[in-house]
Amino acid sequence: MPLHLQVRNFLRNEILKGTFTEKIPAEYDLMDRFAVSRATIRRAIRTLIEEGVLESRQGLGTFVAVRPIEEWLGNLSTFFEIVDEMGMNPNIKVLSQGIVAAPQDAAKIFGVEEVYETIRLRLANDTPVVLETQYYPLDIGRKLAEFDLNNVSTYDILETKLGVSLWEAKQTIASIIPADEEKKLLGLTAEPCCALLSKRLVTDHDGNPLEYEKSIYRGDMYAFRINLTRRRKV
């Protein structure tokens, strides 16, 4: 791997780990650390600036421009609530919606051959961070079709407009290599590239499936957090 990409990957990883939260080390410090030229360091930094990870402030240095959006697992928070708490501007764009043949996993969950599908892109400060695909039973989907799903929380529509009770959710998260079209929509340019795939099934209090969501999260812009408590024998 070219030296400037090695430096770029190091800086990106340290930013994601929280090692650098404001200002990155000076160019000369990075030159000493990697035993490379100033041109190599500047090329690595310039790449991260172009990707929106870093920003240059005249006379002050180079600073971290983004921080991962942190979502607490354990409650059904909306994207707007999460991003607002981070002090960023949320935005959601509908890419497509309508009745489709159910993919195998959705067909098994809902027990039907057709489902209502919505595909939306979530953005924070105009940066794409999540590509979400949601599946609904046709009775719920046809009602959702009457609403503009741009810049709205589907949870809010389901609960306040349609009277649907969202009771419980089961979620799995795994690392994936996104497809080319997914990379394009999420603005992922770095290679190699990984993302997080979240699968979430929301049910009512009787266990009936209401929504099945498959979302691809940018690994460099999104993080999940959870509180853990160790059980002790009394």
Side-chain angles (χ1 to χ4, degrees):
M1 183 180 293
L3 290 174
H4 75 278
L5 292 182
Q6 294 181 39
V7 177
R8 181 204 65 178
N9 290 346
F10 166 79
L11 290 173
R12 178 193 288 275
N13 289 337
E14 292 304 301
I15 290 169
L16 293 178
K17 291 191 295 184
T19 304
F20 307 137
T21 58
E22 295 184 7
K23 190 175 181 179
I24 66 170
E27 291 180 357
Y28 287 108
D29 292 335
L30 293 173
M31 289 168 58
D32 290 340
R33 177 165 191 158
F34 290 97
V36 296
S37 68
R38 190 174 189 181
T40 297
I41 297 298
R42 288 189 167 182
R43 186 176 180 185
I45 292 175
R46 183 170 65 250
T47 301
L48 290 174
I49 291 175
E50 292 171 352
E51 294 175 358
V53 177
L54 295 175
E55 61 181 5
S56 178
R57 299 179 189 175
Q58 188 66 34
L60 296 176
T62 306
F63 292 78
V64 176
V66 298
R67 55 180 177 146
I69 298 166
E70 295 183 347
E71 177 177 340
W72 281 98
L73 296 178
N75 59 337
L76 289 175
S77 300
T78 69
F79 179 69
F80 289 95
E81 293 168 345
I82 295 166
V83 177
D84 277 336
E85 291 177 0
M86 297 286 294
M88 305 171 76
N89 296 319
N91 188 15
I92 299 180
K93 295 181 180 180
V94 174
L95 302 182
S96 67
Q97 62 184 105
I99 298 174
V100 299
Q104 291 184 7
D105 50 357
K108 184 176 180 180
I109 288 171
F110 294 108
V112 295
E113 296 182 354
E114 291 185 324
V115 291
Y116 192 84
E117 176 192 73
T118 66
I119 301 178
R120 305 194 302 173
L121 187 65
R122 305 184 199 173
L123 304 97
N125 285 355
D126 296 324
T127 299
V129 292
V130 186
L131 177 62
E132 66 175 25
T133 302
Q134 296 163 316
Y135 301 102
Y136 301 94
L138 293 183
D139 58 334
I140 294 179
R142 289 192 175 100
K143 294 176 182 177
L144 280 176
E146 300 175 4
F147 296 87
D148 181 0
L149 299 183
N150 289 286
N151 285 323
V152 296
S153 163
T154 52
Y155 286 173
D156 287 345
I157 293 178
L158 290 170
E159 291 182 318
T160 63
K161 303 294 184 180
L162 303 182
V164 176
S165 176
L166 306 177
W167 185 256
E168 187 178 52
K170 294 181 179 179
Q171 184 171 355
T172 62
I173 302 171
S175 176
I176 63 166
I177 298 176
D180 290 342
E181 181 62 21
E182 294 163 347
K183 292 180 184 178
K184 181 178 178 181
L185 290 170
L186 288 170
L188 295 170
T189 58
E191 293 293 347
C193 174
C194 289
L196 298 173
L197 172 63
S198 167
K199 296 182 180 181
R200 177 186 289 182
L201 175 61
V202 182
T203 59
D204 61 18
H205 64 279
D206 292 323
N208 299 311
L210 301 175
E211 177 192 79
Y212 177 48
E213 177 182 297
K214 293 191 288 189
S215 295
I216 299 174
Y217 294 77
R218 283 183 56 162
D220 61 340
M221 287 289 295
Y222 219 96
F224 293 93
R225 301 176 65 192
I226 187 170
N227 276 343
L228 301 175
T229 301
R230 179 172 171 79
R231 294 183 178 180
R232 301 185 182 276
K233 297 180 179 179
V234 179

